[in-house]
Amino acid sequence: MKKLIYYILNLTFHRYESEILKLLKNEKKLVIFDVGCYRGVFTKKILHSVKKRKFKFYLFDINRNSKKYLSELLTSRNITYNEVALSNKNGMAEYNYNSFFEASGSSLSSLFKKDTKWTSSRKLILKILFQNVQDYVKYQVPTVTLDTFVKKKKIKSIEILKVDIEGSEYEFLQGAKGTLKKNKIKIILIEISDRKDTYKKKEKKIIDFLKKRKFTLLKKHPNLSVSLFSDLKSGDYLFINNNYLK
């Protein structure tokens, strides 16, 4: 049932995959980072549309169940899974795992966990649907910066960088400064999440951060399901490197 709810919720989100691939129509080879991949919905959508182009996917998640969910995708030699959190430092950090609905609110950030309205309303909905409801669980996970990972793997470019990490996106960007500075990234699709009363401030902070590094915001779209019965707000933002802006 929870898996079904997750896929139904995905239908409410704005899909950018086709638009992204149109922007990269002249690229013969695609390197894609799916950060916060969970069940690999974004990766599957891109795979469905890449046609005959060469590709390499790097998937990231720290949900201990994700590798099992991704088993079919991982049969491809061009798709690798990394059970590590991309953040602003190399080391260890505390992960907040949402055990009552792992698809949403699981993060290094405690943003969703601390929002009483969000947690209580989601638990109530699951109870109505006769689902087991538990609390958040904390455990330690390894962290690495994007800069460190890119250097270690000798990655020359990232055509698509998708980031969905439930509140810790600014910390992620802090760990990507070097890669951004070297113009290695072409397209960024990032979800921004925060409290409603501080959302505009965080949104501006991230847009200004990327603008300073020569990225232009093309589109944004709110994720209304996050705002419903909560004090939180979320949206997806599509950026393009100015060197590829036509």
Side-chain angles (χ1 to χ4, degrees):
M1 175 62 78
K2 291 180 182 179
K3 180 181 177 180
L4 176 62
I5 295 170
Y6 166 70
Y7 283 112
I8 290 172
L9 286 174
N10 260 277
L11 294 175
T12 69
F13 296 152
H14 185 76
R15 308 309 312 185
Y16 285 99
E17 292 86 355
S18 295
E19 187 171 351
I20 289 171
L21 289 173
K22 285 180 182 178
L23 291 169
L24 297 169
K25 62 183 179 181
N26 295 322
E27 300 293 331
K28 294 181 180 180
K29 183 179 179 181
L30 299 174
V31 174
I32 301 108
F33 274 46
D34 189 348
V35 184
C37 61
Y38 186 47
R39 288 182 178 270
V41 171
F42 178 80
T43 291
K44 289 174 184 176
K45 292 280 187 181
I46 293 292
L47 269 176
H48 182 70
S49 305
V50 292
K51 298 180 180 179
K52 295 182 180 180
R53 285 192 272 184
K54 294 181 180 179
F55 61 84
K56 177 71 175 178
F57 283 84
Y58 294 89
L59 277 55
F60 300 83
D61 210 295
I62 40 179
N63 182 328
R64 292 169 176 168
N65 297 318
S66 284
K67 190 172 183 179
K68 175 179 64 179
Y69 302 150
L70 299 166
S71 58
E72 186 176 337
L73 280 174
L74 297 180
T75 58
S76 169
R77 60 188 295 181
N78 292 317
I79 301 177
T80 62
Y81 175 68
N82 306 273
E83 196 169 309
V84 62
L86 291 180
S87 190
N88 59 351
K89 63 181 181 179
N90 302 318
M92 299 292 292
E94 195 171 70
Y95 176 56
N96 298 287
Y97 171 66
N98 181 358
S99 59
F100 63 84
F101 190 60
E102 63 179 3
S104 186
S106 297
S107 176
L108 294 182
S109 167
S110 57
L111 176 69
F112 284 76
K113 178 186 175 184
K114 288 182 177 179
D115 190 84
T116 306
K117 287 184 182 178
W118 187 87
T119 54
S120 59
S121 60
R122 273 61 182 174
K123 285 182 178 181
L124 178 60
I125 292 169
L126 289 171
K127 285 179 180 177
I128 291 171
L129 295 172
F130 304 103
Q131 298 298 298
N132 291 326
V133 175
Q134 297 174 314
D135 291 319
Y136 269 86
V137 175
K138 293 182 180 181
Y139 55 85
Q140 291 288 308
V141 296
T143 65
V144 66
T145 67
L146 180 72
D147 289 342
T148 299
F149 186 89
V150 166
K151 183 178 180 180
K152 183 178 180 181
K153 298 293 182 179
K154 298 179 181 179
I155 295 168
K156 295 180 179 180
S157 68
I158 301 172
E159 277 62 49
I160 306 170
L161 173 62
K162 170 260 182 183
V163 184
D164 180 0
I165 48 179
E166 311 286 83
S168 55
E169 46 276 358
Y170 187 73
E171 290 75 15
F172 163 82
L173 289 171
Q174 290 293 303
K177 286 181 178 178
T179 307
L180 290 166
K181 185 178 181 179
K182 294 175 182 176
N183 279 319
K184 288 191 173 186
I185 305 171
K186 296 173 183 175
I187 299 286
I188 299 175
L189 176 60
I190 187 168
E191 182 187 67
I192 299 175
S193 300
D194 205 9
R195 290 184 55 82
K196 289 176 181 176
D197 57 358
T198 55
Y199 188 84
K200 282 292 184 183
K201 184 178 179 180
K202 184 174 183 181
E203 178 190 53
K204 184 178 185 303
K205 188 177 181 180
I206 289 177
I207 292 174
D208 288 349
F209 177 91
L210 289 172
K211 184 178 180 181
K212 184 178 179 181
R213 287 155 181 86
K214 300 179 181 179
F215 276 82
T216 294
L217 176 65
L218 293 180
K219 287 188 177 182
K220 65 178 183 178
H221 197 277
N223 294 333
L224 299 178
S225 63
V226 174
S227 300
L228 192 65
F229 308 124
S230 81
D231 287 322
L232 303 176
K233 187 175 179 179
S234 179
D236 290 323
Y237 294 71
L238 181 63
F239 293 88
I240 187 170
N241 188 312
N242 290 347
N243 291 331
Y244 302 94
L245 190 60
K246 296 179 181 179

